Amino acid sequence: IKINDGETYRQVTIAMNNRGVRLRGEKWGYQIAVKNQAVVHAGDVVFSRIDIRNGAIGIVPDDLDGAVVANDFPVYVLNENVCAQYVELAFRTPAFREQCVARSAGSTNRKKMRRDVFLDLQINLPPLDAQRKIVKQVKRLEESLGSIKGSSERLRARAEVTRQKLLNELAPSG
Protein backbone atom coordinates (compact mmCIF):
# COMPACT_ATOMS: atom_id res chain seq x y z
CA ILE A 1 0.00 0.00 0.00
CA LYS A 2 0.98 3.63 -0.25
CA ILE A 3 1.50 5.12 3.21
CA ASN A 4 -0.12 8.56 3.51
CA ASP A 5 1.47 10.93 6.03
CA GLY A 6 -1.91 12.15 7.33
CA GLU A 7 -3.42 8.73 8.08
CA THR A 8 -2.90 6.45 11.07
CA TYR A 9 -1.87 2.84 10.67
CA ARG A 10 -1.72 -0.12 13.00
CA GLN A 11 1.62 -1.88 12.48
CA VAL A 12 2.20 -5.51 13.38
CA THR A 13 5.34 -7.32 14.41
CA ILE A 14 6.13 -10.97 14.92
CA ALA A 15 7.30 -12.03 18.37
CA MET A 16 9.95 -14.71 18.73
CA ASN A 17 9.50 -18.04 20.51
CA ASN A 18 6.18 -18.69 18.79
CA ARG A 19 4.30 -15.90 20.57
CA GLY A 20 2.70 -14.90 17.29
CA VAL A 21 1.75 -11.74 15.45
CA ARG A 22 1.25 -8.73 17.72
CA LEU A 23 0.44 -5.05 17.48
CA ARG A 24 3.66 -3.08 17.22
CA GLY A 25 1.88 0.21 17.62
CA GLU A 26 -0.35 2.75 15.99
CA LYS A 27 1.44 5.49 14.06
CA TRP A 28 0.76 8.35 11.73
CA GLY A 29 2.03 7.78 8.20
CA TYR A 30 4.76 10.40 8.59
CA GLN A 31 6.10 8.41 11.60
CA ILE A 32 6.58 5.23 9.56
CA ALA A 33 10.15 5.22 8.27
CA VAL A 34 9.76 2.32 5.85
CA LYS A 35 7.00 3.35 3.45
CA ASN A 36 6.98 -0.06 1.76
CA GLN A 37 4.22 -1.77 3.76
CA ALA A 38 1.70 -4.55 3.08
CA VAL A 39 -1.79 -4.97 4.49
CA VAL A 40 -2.41 -8.17 6.46
CA HIS A 41 -5.70 -9.93 7.04
CA ALA A 42 -6.91 -12.28 9.75
CA GLY A 43 -5.58 -15.78 9.08
CA ASP A 44 -2.54 -14.68 7.06
CA VAL A 45 0.82 -16.27 7.88
CA VAL A 46 3.51 -13.67 8.62
CA PHE A 47 7.14 -14.32 9.55
CA SER A 48 10.43 -12.58 10.08
CA ARG A 49 12.89 -13.62 7.38
CA ILE A 50 15.79 -13.25 9.83
CA ASP A 51 14.23 -14.57 13.02
CA ILE A 52 12.01 -17.38 11.72
CA ARG A 53 14.68 -19.72 13.09
CA ASN A 54 13.84 -18.30 16.55
CA GLY A 55 10.11 -18.90 16.20
CA ALA A 56 9.18 -15.47 14.77
CA ILE A 57 6.22 -16.73 12.77
CA GLY A 58 2.50 -16.64 13.34
CA ILE A 59 -1.05 -16.18 12.12
CA VAL A 60 -2.62 -12.72 12.04
CA PRO A 61 -5.40 -12.64 14.69
CA ASP A 62 -8.85 -11.23 13.94
CA ASP A 63 -8.23 -8.01 15.88
CA LEU A 64 -5.27 -7.11 13.63
CA ASP A 65 -7.13 -7.54 10.35
CA GLY A 66 -6.24 -4.63 8.07
CA ALA A 67 -3.03 -3.68 9.90
CA VAL A 68 0.22 -3.13 8.02
CA VAL A 69 3.64 -4.79 8.11
CA ALA A 70 6.90 -3.91 6.39
CA ASN A 71 7.33 -5.72 3.06
CA ASP A 72 10.45 -7.42 4.44
CA PHE A 73 8.06 -9.64 6.43
CA PRO A 74 6.52 -12.13 3.97
CA VAL A 75 2.76 -12.59 4.11
CA TYR A 76 1.12 -15.81 2.91
CA VAL A 77 -2.53 -16.86 2.71
CA LEU A 78 -3.48 -20.36 3.86
CA ASN A 79 -5.49 -22.65 1.59
CA GLU A 80 -9.09 -23.45 2.52
CA ASN A 81 -8.13 -27.00 3.53
CA VAL A 82 -5.81 -25.75 6.29
CA CYS A 83 -6.77 -24.94 9.88
CA ALA A 84 -4.81 -21.86 11.02
CA GLN A 85 -4.62 -23.08 14.63
CA TYR A 86 -3.16 -26.39 13.44
CA VAL A 87 -0.49 -24.58 11.44
CA GLU A 88 0.41 -22.48 14.49
CA LEU A 89 0.91 -25.70 16.44
CA ALA A 90 3.07 -27.05 13.61
CA PHE A 91 5.23 -23.91 13.77
CA ARG A 92 6.09 -24.84 17.39
CA THR A 93 7.38 -28.31 16.58
CA PRO A 94 11.08 -29.16 16.74
CA ALA A 95 10.91 -30.50 13.18
CA PHE A 96 9.70 -27.17 11.81
CA ARG A 97 12.26 -25.23 13.83
CA GLU A 98 15.06 -27.49 12.56
CA GLN A 99 14.04 -26.80 8.97
CA CYS A 100 14.13 -23.07 9.63
CA VAL A 101 17.55 -23.24 11.27
CA ALA A 102 18.95 -25.34 8.45
CA ARG A 103 17.69 -22.95 5.78
CA SER A 104 18.35 -19.56 7.36
CA ALA A 105 21.37 -19.90 9.64
CA GLY A 106 24.18 -18.44 7.56
CA SER A 107 27.67 -17.90 8.93
CA THR A 108 26.46 -15.24 11.39
CA ASN A 109 23.12 -16.90 12.20
CA ARG A 110 21.47 -13.79 10.72
CA LYS A 111 20.96 -14.93 7.12
CA LYS A 112 17.50 -14.07 5.80
CA MET A 113 15.31 -16.90 4.61
CA ARG A 114 14.37 -16.44 0.99
CA ARG A 115 10.64 -16.26 0.32
CA ASP A 116 10.73 -19.21 -2.09
CA VAL A 117 12.63 -21.33 0.46
CA PHE A 118 9.79 -20.82 2.96
CA LEU A 119 7.43 -22.56 0.56
CA ASP A 120 9.73 -25.59 0.58
CA LEU A 121 9.37 -26.08 4.35
CA GLN A 122 7.44 -29.22 5.24
CA ILE A 123 4.49 -29.51 7.63
CA ASN A 124 2.64 -32.76 8.18
CA LEU A 125 -0.85 -31.80 6.99
CA PRO A 126 -3.57 -34.37 7.66
CA PRO A 127 -7.14 -33.84 6.36
CA LEU A 128 -8.94 -30.75 7.69
CA ASP A 129 -11.16 -32.74 10.11
CA ALA A 130 -8.07 -34.38 11.64
CA GLN A 131 -6.37 -30.96 11.95
CA ARG A 132 -9.38 -29.62 13.87
CA LYS A 133 -9.48 -32.68 16.15
CA ILE A 134 -5.78 -32.27 16.97
CA VAL A 135 -6.29 -28.57 17.78
CA LYS A 136 -9.23 -29.44 20.04
CA GLN A 137 -7.18 -32.09 21.88
CA VAL A 138 -4.23 -29.72 22.36
CA LYS A 139 -6.57 -27.05 23.77
CA ARG A 140 -8.01 -29.58 26.22
CA LEU A 141 -4.51 -30.63 27.24
CA GLU A 142 -3.43 -26.98 27.73
CA GLU A 143 -6.53 -26.34 29.87
CA SER A 144 -5.76 -29.43 31.96
CA LEU A 145 -2.14 -28.38 32.40
CA GLY A 146 -3.26 -24.90 33.45
CA SER A 147 -5.61 -26.41 36.02
CA ILE A 148 -2.89 -28.73 37.33
CA LYS A 149 -0.44 -25.84 37.57
CA GLY A 150 -2.97 -23.76 39.52
CA SER A 151 -3.64 -26.66 41.90
CA SER A 152 0.08 -27.22 42.34
CA GLU A 153 0.65 -23.57 43.26
CA ARG A 154 -2.20 -23.67 45.81
CA LEU A 155 -0.79 -26.87 47.34
CA ARG A 156 2.68 -25.34 47.51
CA ALA A 157 1.30 -22.30 49.36
CA ARG A 158 -0.58 -24.53 51.83
CA ALA A 159 2.52 -26.65 52.40
CA GLU A 160 4.55 -23.52 53.17
CA VAL A 161 1.97 -22.35 55.71
CA THR A 162 1.96 -25.80 57.32
CA ARG A 163 5.77 -25.87 57.39
CA GLN A 164 5.89 -22.50 59.12
CA LYS A 165 3.33 -23.65 61.73
CA LEU A 166 5.35 -26.80 62.43
CA LEU A 167 8.57 -24.83 62.77
CA ASN A 168 6.87 -22.42 65.14
CA GLU A 169 5.59 -25.31 67.27
CA LEU A 170 9.01 -26.97 67.36
CA ALA A 171 10.79 -23.82 68.44
CA PRO A 172 8.35 -21.74 70.46
CA SER A 173 9.57 -18.25 71.25
CA GLY A 174 9.90 -17.10 74.82
Side-chain angles (χ1 to χ4, degrees):
I1 65 165
K2 180 176 174 12
I3 299 293
N4 296 313
D5 287 349
E7 290 184 39
T8 59
Y9 298 88
R10 293 178 305 142
Q11 283 189 303
V12 296
T13 189
I14 301 89
M16 288 196 274
N17 299 314
N18 296 101
R19 291 179 313 191
V21 179
R22 297 175 173 212
L23 181 65
R24 180 178 192 167
E26 195 165 313
K27 295 182 178 182
W28 288 97
Y30 69 86
Q31 295 173 310
I32 298 176
V34 178
K35 300 294 186 191
N36 202 6
Q37 302 277 316
V39 174
V40 295
H41 297 287
D44 288 350
V45 175
V46 181
F47 69 92
S48 166
R49 293 175 58 209
I50 293 175
D51 292 319
I52 188 172
R53 62 190 320 275
N54 296 316
I57 186 167
I59 307 291
V60 176
D62 292 341
D63 64 325
L64 293 177
D65 186 76
V68 297
V69 67
N71 271 352
D72 197 41
F73 294 86
V75 179
Y76 290 95
V77 178
L78 295 174
N79 290 334
E80 292 177 6
N81 64 337
V82 178
C83 173
Q85 296 90 352
Y86 176 85
V87 172
E88 280 198 299
L89 291 174
F91 290 158
R92 296 184 206 169
T93 63
F96 184 80
R97 174 88 42 113
E98 286 172 19
Q99 291 181 76
C100 293
V101 169
R103 290 182 172 95
S104 68
S107 61
T108 63
N109 289 333
R110 299 293 290 169
K111 179 181 172 190
K112 291 181 179 181
M113 179 179 283
R114 291 191 347 242
R115 294 167 197 266
D116 62 319
V117 171
F118 176 76
L119 295 176
D120 290 335
L121 299 177
Q122 299 291 312
I123 292 177
N124 179 23
L125 200 61
L128 186 57
D129 288 344
Q131 293 174 46
R132 289 181 176 145
K133 286 178 185 176
I134 291 168
V135 168
K136 186 183 267 188
Q137 291 296 338
V138 169
K139 284 183 180 180
R140 284 184 187 154
L141 179 61
E142 287 173 343
E143 289 170 2
S144 295
L145 290 173
S147 176
I148 290 168
K149 184 178 177 186
S151 295
S152 171
E153 289 168 359
R154 285 190 298 277
L155 286 172
R156 189 174 323 181
R158 286 184 191 163
E160 181 59 27
V161 168
T162 302
R163 184 179 77 81
Q164 286 297 329
K165 284 182 181 178
L166 286 171
L167 288 175
N168 289 341
E169 288 179 17
L170 290 173
S173 58

